[in-house]
Amino acid sequence: MKLTSEPLPQESSTETVLRTISKIHSIESEAIKWVACPQNYSHAFLVARAEELVNKKIDAGEPLAYFLKGQLYFEEGWYEDALLQFEQSKDTDFQSMYQLGVMYYDGLGTPPDPKKGVEYMKKIVSSDSPKARHLKFAAAYNLGRAYWEGCGTEILEKEAERLWLIAADHGNPKASVKAQSALGMLYSATHPKDLKKAFFWHSEACGNGSLESQGILGLMYLYGHGVRKNLKAALECLNQASDRGDVYAKGHLVEYYYRRKFFTKAAEFAKRITENDNVEQIAKDTDCMPFYIAKGLAMASFYLARCLQLGLGTKPDEAAAKIYYSKACNLDPAVAADLELTANHGRI
């Protein structure tokens, strides 16, 4: 289960760098007024104009300018160019240092160098500078991720837990919501499991907007893991998470419909889910982990194949069934094998 990095925290908002640049220049220049109505211009024009303006700030020696230019490139996915800009200001700007840590750890615009990524995150976590304060929760989460995955450092689950507890900050919505969700997963995976703690942290993360934790909460209510079974709460969480794009929740809803013999609903829903099997793009769009997205797609594919094979809720189609069985195996062999074993024993 590979986690994802925490995006760069903003001190006061989540606006893009285009808006940030517009605010910096709006007081000084009439030329920036075009940003107020970006819908009137192409995106390429907006980026080019922002680049022109931030270059003027670089020439004027503005300390934030290299970061802004790097962030502009980062948001456009021009990672090699972004890396060069962040390198220019990493010694004077903690935001540039943070982005470099993410890029080296994840291999964005550069070959992966997780040790360097860990080094930068440690500097931010240990810094006493007020300019690093708004980055500390996110950096602690990323550092905990490194210890959890054993990437750039040794595997130390206790250290990952310690750092994630710091990053989660008792459920503070302004802290790292990813850390809150990660703690829920940690307490579900460690031996012995502590499902009550897992439920607590997924509840905190869900309340703070985590899509992934909302779907997992639905499953905990459905199966009584860490909390008493509550079908109403389970379906509420799963449906809301599904509506927000959580493919793992969608896969489990397909299973729920199938097991309760709502075969038409199961087949139709599974068909819609499996139309998009681009795991990486779904992860980018929803900020959910590819690990769980693949599992959700595999479940939907398997149950659709089952419906097609047996003519449940749809016309029987052996050829199509084979295609979807194969898709389930390719997406997540373990999920497909478990469901096949369950089907062979007559439990579905």
Side-chain angles (χ1 to χ4, degrees):
M1 180 179 70
K2 188 171 177 60
L3 302 174
T4 55
S5 293
E6 185 81 82
L8 177 74
Q10 305 292 330
E11 288 190 86
S12 58
S13 72
T14 57
E15 65 190 8
T16 66
V17 74
L18 286 175
R19 288 291 181 183
T20 302
I21 294 170
S22 92
K23 287 184 177 179
I24 290 173
H25 288 271
S26 60
I27 298 173
E28 308 169 13
S29 174
E30 291 296 312
I32 197 68
K33 286 185 175 179
W34 51 267
V35 180
C37 300
Q39 66 273 16
N40 296 333
Y41 302 90
S42 71
H43 183 75
F45 174 84
L46 293 174
V47 172
R49 190 75 171 114
E51 187 177 19
E52 177 187 334
L53 291 167
V54 80
N55 279 337
K56 290 180 180 179
K57 287 298 183 183
I58 290 175
D59 292 340
E62 292 284 345
L64 189 63
Y66 281 112
F67 163 72
L68 287 174
K69 190 174 182 181
Q71 189 62 15
L72 176 66
Y73 291 157
F74 186 91
E75 290 172 2
E76 293 302 306
W78 304 340
Y79 296 124
E80 291 182 3
D81 295 325
L83 192 81
L84 293 174
Q85 300 303 316
F86 292 140
E87 288 283 5
Q88 293 285 338
S89 55
K90 69 178 186 295
D91 295 328
T92 56
D93 182 74
F94 283 101
Q95 293 179 112
S96 293
M97 183 186 294
Y98 182 91
Q99 289 296 65
L100 284 175
V102 169
M103 296 177 79
Y104 280 116
Y105 191 92
D106 290 335
L108 300 175
T110 180
D113 188 346
K115 287 186 178 180
K116 187 176 283 191
V118 166
E119 177 187 335
Y120 285 139
M121 292 301 165
K122 283 183 176 179
K123 286 181 179 180
I124 293 169
V125 170
S126 62
S127 174
D128 295 325
S129 172
K131 293 182 179 179
R133 189 175 297 130
H134 73 289
L135 301 169
K136 282 181 173 285
F137 291 136
Y141 161 77
N142 289 333
L143 196 51
R145 173 194 173 196
Y147 282 111
W148 176 258
E149 296 175 343
C151 194
T153 185
E154 59 184 319
I155 293 178
L156 292 173
E157 290 185 6
K158 286 296 181 183
E159 183 64 4
E161 179 186 9
R162 184 188 74 82
L163 286 161
W164 283 344
L165 286 168
I166 292 170
D169 194 35
H170 307 286
N172 178 0
K174 294 183 179 180
S176 171
V177 178
K178 279 185 178 287
Q180 295 161 13
S181 188
L183 283 167
M185 295 177 193
L186 180 148
Y187 291 124
S188 298
T190 52
H191 300 285
K193 295 180 180 181
D194 192 333
L195 294 178
K196 288 186 177 180
K197 281 187 178 180
F199 178 81
F200 169 81
W201 282 110
H202 280 307
S203 297
E204 294 295 299
C206 176
N208 292 328
S210 170
L211 173 56
E212 207 138 47
S213 281
Q214 185 175 39
I216 293 172
L217 271 183
L219 296 177
M220 297 186 85
Y221 277 121
L222 185 63
Y223 297 112
H225 293 165
V227 66
R228 293 184 67 176
K229 285 186 179 182
N230 186 329
L231 182 58
K232 182 180 178 182
L235 292 177
E236 183 177 327
C237 285
L238 288 171
N239 278 307
Q240 288 180 2
S242 172
D243 290 343
R244 293 172 63 198
D246 185 346
V247 176
Y248 190 57
K250 291 181 182 184
H252 279 279
L253 280 172
V254 169
E255 182 173 66
Y256 173 81
Y257 298 146
Y258 183 96
R259 287 178 177 271
R260 279 151 185 78
K261 303 187 187 304
F262 304 148
F263 296 124
T264 300
K265 193 170 186 177
E268 290 176 351
F269 192 36
K271 183 68 168 64
R272 291 200 302 273
I273 296 166
T274 55
E275 285 173 356
N276 178 11
D277 59 1
N278 188 333
V279 174
E280 288 188 10
Q281 187 60 48
I282 295 170
K284 184 177 179 180
D285 293 341
T286 63
D287 199 28
C288 291
M289 287 190 287
F291 176 83
Y292 284 111
I293 293 169
K295 286 185 178 298
L297 286 169
M299 291 178 71
S301 298
F302 186 92
Y303 280 107
L304 178 56
R306 188 81 174 156
C307 288
L308 288 165
Q309 181 185 8
L310 301 177
L312 300 173
T314 187
K315 291 182 179 179
D317 188 333
E318 283 284 345
K322 288 180 181 179
I323 291 171
Y324 284 105
Y325 278 132
S326 177
K327 177 179 278 195
C329 290
N330 290 332
L331 285 161
D332 193 309
V335 165
D338 287 345
L339 289 174
E340 183 178 15
L341 184 63
T342 303
N344 290 340
H345 282 85
R347 294 197 293 271
I348 58 173

